[in-house]
Amino acid sequence: MTTKIHASCDALGNPTGFHLTAGQAHDLQGADALLPKIIDRIEAFLADKAYDAQKRVVDLLKSAGIEIVIPSKKNRKEAREYDKDMYQWRHLIENFFQKLKQYRAIATRYDKTASAFLGAIHLVASVIWLK
């Protein structure tokens, strides 16, 4: 059994929310769960090409007046402009995942149930936040 961890982070790379999906699930399932919780608190949304979905992400962010910092997929007919300098800040969430996986129980998924695994993620994230 594999599990995918979806996370949202603030501008400093501190975690603000988590969602678990099956390992084979698309990243947009995590966005569907996390975006409604944070949409009223953000000014910009940084993500990779997997989140370049017009109806599920882009239209939702545009209607809320949020800056979209997502590179366009190759198959888009019209490439969307994005702030390339701001896109580099996405490394903060990658750094958070690197710190999260320093804990062996998270990296190897010791917990059998999703709720216990999510609890362990929250515990480790709070330790990371306090450092």
Side-chain angles (χ1 to χ4, degrees):
M1 181 167 101
T2 62
T3 305
K4 192 180 289 189
I5 304 168
H6 303 273
S8 59
C9 288
D10 64 8
L12 300 174
N14 297 320
T16 59
F18 297 102
H19 182 72
L20 293 179
T21 59
Q24 70 274 15
H26 195 278
D27 289 341
L28 287 174
Q29 289 183 2
D32 292 340
L34 290 173
L35 264 178
K37 296 176 184 175
I38 63 169
I39 201 152
D40 58 338
R41 298 180 289 151
I42 60 174
E43 295 176 18
F45 183 77
L46 287 70
D48 61 9
K49 291 181 182 184
Y51 294 92
D52 184 23
Q54 191 67 36
K55 291 180 185 175
R56 290 168 82 174
V57 177
V58 176
D59 290 343
L60 181 67
L61 295 171
K62 278 185 182 178
S63 66
I66 296 169
E67 183 177 0
I68 301 166
V69 187
I70 303 172
S72 299
K73 290 185 197 175
K74 289 182 182 179
N75 63 353
R76 261 195 187 268
K77 293 183 180 176
E78 294 180 26
R80 182 181 51 257
E81 292 294 320
Y82 67 98
D83 187 343
K84 291 181 173 75
D85 292 327
M86 189 182 290
Y87 182 71
Q88 292 179 355
W89 299 346
R90 202 174 62 80
H91 77 87
L92 292 171
I93 195 157
E94 300 298 337
N95 291 349
F96 166 70
F97 275 107
Q98 180 267 331
K99 291 174 192 171
L100 187 69
K101 291 190 177 181
Q102 290 296 314
Y103 292 83
R104 193 165 135 196
I106 303 300
T108 58
R109 198 187 191 287
Y110 279 179
D111 300 302
K112 296 201 183 297
T113 63
S115 61
F117 185 52
L118 188 59
I121 291 169
H122 281 277
L123 178 65
V124 169
S126 62
V127 169
I128 291 170
W129 191 310
L130 291 173
K131 283 187 179 181

